[in-house]
Amino acid sequence: MKNEIVFATGNLDKMREIREILSGMDFEIRSMKEAQIVTNVEETGETFEENARLKAEAVAKKTDAIVIADDSGLEIDYLNGEPGVYSARYMGEDTSYQVKNQALLDRLKGVPKEQRSARFVCAVAVAFPDGEMIVRRETMEGYIGEAPAGENGFGYDPIFYPTAYGCSSAELSSRQKNEISHRGKALMAIRKEIEKRI
Ligand code: ITT
């Protein structure tokens, strides 16, 4: 049987990206649901790193497999880093991203491009069965556009324009996004750490 990695997320869009980024690894990647692990982790940390650790730790208690967790979000400089670690909870977990994205655009109405800088941040934590924990944090720099665009990706992708491209991250293919994204870079760093140990 292949070795197993359990990914501590309930977010199906993240899970899709994670499978793409980790494809070709000599591990079976299972979501929490597939591993039949149920846990409700309170994200009480003040940083992405702390929250990623909390999620990985909670799930590691319930399995002997390697556990990886991702905590991520969007920081908008003009809004003093909001929504930041509260990105999923901003305006309520059940509010649609169409509404959340429009609310952020409204808050930036009239703000010139030079002051619309923003970044996606992702901290990925891996918990090994022997108790060792490693965390890596990466960002994707860009700015908030004037209007939503694109159908790919998820969450805040339609309003975020990566510096490396002249379009929103929802207009990138998943391969293009994963190559430069916060999640792609942090997960590749973690992948190397895991591969070193096997
Ligand atoms: P888990 O905790 O179960 O993993 P979650 O959705 O609550 O799922 P987070 O607490 O890490 O995850 O919240 C991250 C939020 O930040 C996510 O719901 C999106 O709104 C936003 N986000 C993170 N990465 C993103 C990306 O690549 N593209 C668009 N939005 C992103």
Side-chain angles (χ1 to χ4, degrees), residues 27 66 126 128 130 132-134 136 189-198:
F27 281 85
I66 294 175
V126 56
F128 291 96
D130 66 1
E132 187 187 6
M133 170 93 76
I134 300 175
R136 291 286 180 271
I190 289 292
R191 176 176 179 157
K192 284 203 186 104
E193 294 297 335
I194 295 171
E195 285 170 341
K196 261 193 231 165
R197 284 165 178 76
I198 53 171

PDB file of all heavy atoms in Angstrom, residues 27 66 126 128 130 132-134 136 189-198:
ATOM      1  N   PHE A  27       2.737   9.222  -2.728  1.00  0.00           N
ATOM      2  CA  PHE A  27       1.830   9.143  -1.570  1.00  0.00           C
ATOM      3  C   PHE A  27       0.401   9.193  -2.069  1.00  0.00           C
ATOM      4  O   PHE A  27       0.114   9.838  -3.076  1.00  0.00           O
ATOM      5  CB  PHE A  27       2.024  10.359  -0.657  1.00  0.00           C
ATOM      6  CG  PHE A  27       3.219  10.270   0.241  1.00  0.00           C
ATOM      7  CD1 PHE A  27       4.469  10.662  -0.208  1.00  0.00           C
ATOM      8  CD2 PHE A  27       3.093   9.803   1.541  1.00  0.00           C
ATOM      9  CE1 PHE A  27       5.577  10.583   0.618  1.00  0.00           C
ATOM     10  CE2 PHE A  27       4.192   9.725   2.374  1.00  0.00           C
ATOM     11  CZ  PHE A  27       5.441  10.120   1.916  1.00  0.00           C
ATOM     12  N   ILE A  66       1.025  11.105   7.740  1.00  0.00           N
ATOM     13  CA  ILE A  66       1.541  12.478   7.684  1.00  0.00           C
ATOM     14  C   ILE A  66       0.342  13.398   7.458  1.00  0.00           C
ATOM     15  O   ILE A  66      -0.531  13.088   6.650  1.00  0.00           O
ATOM     16  CB  ILE A  66       2.543  12.623   6.514  1.00  0.00           C
ATOM     17  CG1 ILE A  66       3.791  11.773   6.764  1.00  0.00           C
ATOM     18  CG2 ILE A  66       2.917  14.082   6.290  1.00  0.00           C
ATOM     19  CD1 ILE A  66       4.774  11.766   5.592  1.00  0.00           C
ATOM     20  N   VAL A 126       3.279  20.836   8.073  1.00  0.00           N
ATOM     21  CA  VAL A 126       3.244  19.380   7.967  1.00  0.00           C
ATOM     22  C   VAL A 126       3.576  18.792   9.337  1.00  0.00           C
ATOM     23  O   VAL A 126       4.524  19.224   9.999  1.00  0.00           O
ATOM     24  CB  VAL A 126       4.210  18.836   6.875  1.00  0.00           C
ATOM     25  CG1 VAL A 126       5.642  19.284   7.085  1.00  0.00           C
ATOM     26  CG2 VAL A 126       4.156  17.300   6.811  1.00  0.00           C
ATOM     27  N   PHE A 128       4.591  15.336  11.101  1.00  0.00           N
ATOM     28  CA  PHE A 128       5.041  13.960  10.874  1.00  0.00           C
ATOM     29  C   PHE A 128       4.596  13.076  12.042  1.00  0.00           C
ATOM     30  O   PHE A 128       4.401  13.574  13.153  1.00  0.00           O
ATOM     31  CB  PHE A 128       6.567  13.926  10.721  1.00  0.00           C
ATOM     32  CG  PHE A 128       7.043  14.580   9.456  1.00  0.00           C
ATOM     33  CD1 PHE A 128       7.472  15.906   9.448  1.00  0.00           C
ATOM     34  CD2 PHE A 128       7.047  13.877   8.258  1.00  0.00           C
ATOM     35  CE1 PHE A 128       7.895  16.513   8.278  1.00  0.00           C
ATOM     36  CE2 PHE A 128       7.470  14.477   7.076  1.00  0.00           C
ATOM     37  CZ  PHE A 128       7.892  15.789   7.090  1.00  0.00           C
ATOM     38  N   ASP A 130       6.140  11.232  13.962  1.00  0.00           N
ATOM     39  CA  ASP A 130       7.007  11.260  15.157  1.00  0.00           C
ATOM     40  C   ASP A 130       6.868  12.558  15.948  1.00  0.00           C
ATOM     41  O   ASP A 130       7.597  12.800  16.906  1.00  0.00           O
ATOM     42  CB  ASP A 130       8.478  11.047  14.760  1.00  0.00           C
ATOM     43  CG  ASP A 130       9.026  12.193  13.917  1.00  0.00           C
ATOM     44  OD1 ASP A 130       8.282  13.166  13.652  1.00  0.00           O
ATOM     45  OD2 ASP A 130      10.207  12.129  13.527  1.00  0.00           O
ATOM     46  N   GLU A 132       7.332  15.668  14.749  1.00  0.00           N
ATOM     47  CA  GLU A 132       8.013  16.821  14.148  1.00  0.00           C
ATOM     48  C   GLU A 132       7.019  17.654  13.330  1.00  0.00           C
ATOM     49  O   GLU A 132       6.130  17.108  12.679  1.00  0.00           O
ATOM     50  CB  GLU A 132       9.147  16.334  13.228  1.00  0.00           C
ATOM     51  CG  GLU A 132       9.991  17.481  12.701  1.00  0.00           C
ATOM     52  CD  GLU A 132      11.013  17.046  11.648  1.00  0.00           C
ATOM     53  OE1 GLU A 132      11.004  15.870  11.232  1.00  0.00           O
ATOM     54  OE2 GLU A 132      11.804  17.912  11.235  1.00  0.00           O
ATOM     55  N   MET A 133       7.192  18.978  13.390  1.00  0.00           N
ATOM     56  CA  MET A 133       6.289  19.874  12.629  1.00  0.00           C
ATOM     57  C   MET A 133       7.140  20.886  11.869  1.00  0.00           C
ATOM     58  O   MET A 133       8.074  21.453  12.427  1.00  0.00           O
ATOM     59  CB  MET A 133       5.375  20.579  13.634  1.00  0.00           C
ATOM     60  CG  MET A 133       4.549  21.695  13.101  1.00  0.00           C
ATOM     61  SD  MET A 133       2.897  21.200  12.556  1.00  0.00           S
ATOM     62  CE  MET A 133       2.081  21.005  14.112  1.00  0.00           C
ATOM     63  N   ILE A 134       6.828  21.096  10.608  1.00  0.00           N
ATOM     64  CA  ILE A 134       7.538  22.099   9.805  1.00  0.00           C
ATOM     65  C   ILE A 134       6.493  23.022   9.184  1.00  0.00           C
ATOM     66  O   ILE A 134       5.441  22.553   8.730  1.00  0.00           O
ATOM     67  CB  ILE A 134       8.355  21.442   8.670  1.00  0.00           C
ATOM     68  CG1 ILE A 134       9.396  20.485   9.238  1.00  0.00           C
ATOM     69  CG2 ILE A 134       9.050  22.491   7.813  1.00  0.00           C
ATOM     70  CD1 ILE A 134      10.156  19.718   8.170  1.00  0.00           C
ATOM     71  N   ARG A 136       5.952  26.368   6.393  1.00  0.00           N
ATOM     72  CA  ARG A 136       6.507  27.245   5.361  1.00  0.00           C
ATOM     73  C   ARG A 136       5.447  28.257   4.957  1.00  0.00           C
ATOM     74  O   ARG A 136       4.272  27.905   4.806  1.00  0.00           O
ATOM     75  CB  ARG A 136       6.915  26.447   4.114  1.00  0.00           C
ATOM     76  CG  ARG A 136       8.107  25.535   4.333  1.00  0.00           C
ATOM     77  CD  ARG A 136       9.409  26.330   4.417  1.00  0.00           C
ATOM     78  NE  ARG A 136      10.551  25.431   4.634  1.00  0.00           N
ATOM     79  CZ  ARG A 136      10.993  25.046   5.827  1.00  0.00           C
ATOM     80  NH1 ARG A 136      10.405  25.493   6.928  1.00  0.00           N
ATOM     81  NH2 ARG A 136      12.022  24.246   5.934  1.00  0.00           N
ATOM     82  N   ALA A 189       7.608  23.648  -1.218  1.00  0.00           N
ATOM     83  CA  ALA A 189       8.660  23.641  -0.190  1.00  0.00           C
ATOM     84  C   ALA A 189       8.424  22.498   0.794  1.00  0.00           C
ATOM     85  O   ALA A 189       9.351  21.775   1.194  1.00  0.00           O
ATOM     86  CB  ALA A 189       8.697  24.980   0.539  1.00  0.00           C
ATOM     87  N   ILE A 190       7.168  22.304   1.174  1.00  0.00           N
ATOM     88  CA  ILE A 190       6.812  21.225   2.110  1.00  0.00           C
ATOM     89  C   ILE A 190       7.015  19.865   1.443  1.00  0.00           C
ATOM     90  O   ILE A 190       7.497  18.905   2.065  1.00  0.00           O
ATOM     91  CB  ILE A 190       5.362  21.406   2.603  1.00  0.00           C
ATOM     92  CG1 ILE A 190       5.258  22.604   3.541  1.00  0.00           C
ATOM     93  CG2 ILE A 190       4.809  20.137   3.236  1.00  0.00           C
ATOM     94  CD1 ILE A 190       5.965  22.449   4.876  1.00  0.00           C
ATOM     95  N   ARG A 191       6.682  19.787   0.154  1.00  0.00           N
ATOM     96  CA  ARG A 191       6.864  18.535  -0.582  1.00  0.00           C
ATOM     97  C   ARG A 191       8.328  18.102  -0.531  1.00  0.00           C
ATOM     98  O   ARG A 191       8.643  16.936  -0.304  1.00  0.00           O
ATOM     99  CB  ARG A 191       6.398  18.769  -2.031  1.00  0.00           C
ATOM    100  CG  ARG A 191       6.614  17.600  -2.942  1.00  0.00           C
ATOM    101  CD  ARG A 191       6.036  17.879  -4.319  1.00  0.00           C
ATOM    102  NE  ARG A 191       6.285  16.742  -5.178  1.00  0.00           N
ATOM    103  CZ  ARG A 191       5.587  16.442  -6.265  1.00  0.00           C
ATOM    104  NH1 ARG A 191       4.603  17.211  -6.643  1.00  0.00           N
ATOM    105  NH2 ARG A 191       5.868  15.390  -6.989  1.00  0.00           N
ATOM    106  N   LYS A 192       9.238  19.092  -0.717  1.00  0.00           N
ATOM    107  CA  LYS A 192      10.678  18.780  -0.656  1.00  0.00           C
ATOM    108  C   LYS A 192      11.056  18.233   0.715  1.00  0.00           C
ATOM    109  O   LYS A 192      11.837  17.290   0.830  1.00  0.00           O
ATOM    110  CB  LYS A 192      11.512  20.039  -0.936  1.00  0.00           C
ATOM    111  CG  LYS A 192      11.542  20.412  -2.390  1.00  0.00           C
ATOM    112  CD  LYS A 192      12.783  21.265  -2.702  1.00  0.00           C
ATOM    113  CE  LYS A 192      12.725  21.745  -4.137  1.00  0.00           C
ATOM    114  NZ  LYS A 192      12.340  23.162  -4.239  1.00  0.00           N
ATOM    115  N   GLU A 193      10.508  18.849   1.767  1.00  0.00           N
ATOM    116  CA  GLU A 193      10.825  18.397   3.137  1.00  0.00           C
ATOM    117  C   GLU A 193      10.358  16.959   3.355  1.00  0.00           C
ATOM    118  O   GLU A 193      11.045  16.156   4.001  1.00  0.00           O
ATOM    119  CB  GLU A 193      10.171  19.309   4.185  1.00  0.00           C
ATOM    120  CG  GLU A 193      10.708  20.717   4.210  1.00  0.00           C
ATOM    121  CD  GLU A 193      12.187  20.777   4.589  1.00  0.00           C
ATOM    122  OE1 GLU A 193      12.686  19.857   5.269  1.00  0.00           O
ATOM    123  OE2 GLU A 193      12.853  21.746   4.175  1.00  0.00           O
ATOM    124  N   ILE A 194       9.194  16.639   2.821  1.00  0.00           N
ATOM    125  CA  ILE A 194       8.668  15.274   2.991  1.00  0.00           C
ATOM    126  C   ILE A 194       9.543  14.295   2.197  1.00  0.00           C
ATOM    127  O   ILE A 194       9.917  13.236   2.718  1.00  0.00           O
ATOM    128  CB  ILE A 194       7.194  15.195   2.529  1.00  0.00           C
ATOM    129  CG1 ILE A 194       6.313  16.060   3.422  1.00  0.00           C
ATOM    130  CG2 ILE A 194       6.700  13.737   2.533  1.00  0.00           C
ATOM    131  CD1 ILE A 194       4.881  16.217   2.937  1.00  0.00           C
ATOM    132  N   GLU A 195       9.891  14.695   0.982  1.00  0.00           N
ATOM    133  CA  GLU A 195      10.671  13.780   0.128  1.00  0.00           C
ATOM    134  C   GLU A 195      12.071  13.522   0.682  1.00  0.00           C
ATOM    135  O   GLU A 195      12.642  12.468   0.485  1.00  0.00           O
ATOM    136  CB  GLU A 195      10.669  14.294  -1.320  1.00  0.00           C
ATOM    137  CG  GLU A 195       9.308  14.023  -1.978  1.00  0.00           C
ATOM    138  CD  GLU A 195       9.086  14.677  -3.334  1.00  0.00           C
ATOM    139  OE1 GLU A 195       9.803  15.636  -3.651  1.00  0.00           O
ATOM    140  OE2 GLU A 195       8.179  14.210  -4.060  1.00  0.00           O
ATOM    141  N   LYS A 196      12.612  14.523   1.419  1.00  0.00           N
ATOM    142  CA  LYS A 196      13.917  14.358   2.083  1.00  0.00           C
ATOM    143  C   LYS A 196      13.876  13.231   3.113  1.00  0.00           C
ATOM    144  O   LYS A 196      14.865  12.622   3.436  1.00  0.00           O
ATOM    145  CB  LYS A 196      14.265  15.638   2.844  1.00  0.00           C
ATOM    146  CG  LYS A 196      15.207  16.566   2.145  1.00  0.00           C
ATOM    147  CD  LYS A 196      15.687  17.588   3.174  1.00  0.00           C
ATOM    148  CE  LYS A 196      15.518  19.000   2.650  1.00  0.00           C
ATOM    149  NZ  LYS A 196      15.625  20.012   3.715  1.00  0.00           N
ATOM    150  N   ARG A 197      12.694  13.053   3.697  1.00  0.00           N
ATOM    151  CA  ARG A 197      12.570  12.131   4.834  1.00  0.00           C
ATOM    152  C   ARG A 197      12.158  10.715   4.437  1.00  0.00           C
ATOM    153  O   ARG A 197      11.940   9.883   5.310  1.00  0.00           O
ATOM    154  CB  ARG A 197      11.573  12.708   5.862  1.00  0.00           C
ATOM    155  CG  ARG A 197      12.189  13.841   6.660  1.00  0.00           C
ATOM    156  CD  ARG A 197      11.129  14.633   7.399  1.00  0.00           C
ATOM    157  NE  ARG A 197      11.747  15.678   8.193  1.00  0.00           N
ATOM    158  CZ  ARG A 197      12.234  16.814   7.695  1.00  0.00           C
ATOM    159  NH1 ARG A 197      12.195  17.067   6.423  1.00  0.00           N
ATOM    160  NH2 ARG A 197      12.789  17.710   8.513  1.00  0.00           N
ATOM    161  N   ILE A 198      11.949  10.471   3.140  1.00  0.00           N
ATOM    162  CA  ILE A 198      11.524   9.101   2.771  1.00  0.00           C
ATOM    163  C   ILE A 198      12.575   8.368   1.939  1.00  0.00           C
ATOM    164  O   ILE A 198      13.525   8.948   1.493  1.00  0.00           O
ATOM    165  CB  ILE A 198      10.165   9.071   2.028  1.00  0.00           C
ATOM    166  CG1 ILE A 198      10.184  10.021   0.824  1.00  0.00           C
ATOM    167  CG2 ILE A 198       9.041   9.392   2.975  1.00  0.00           C
ATOM    168  CD1 ILE A 198       8.966   9.885  -0.072  1.00  0.00           C
TER     169      ILE A 198
END
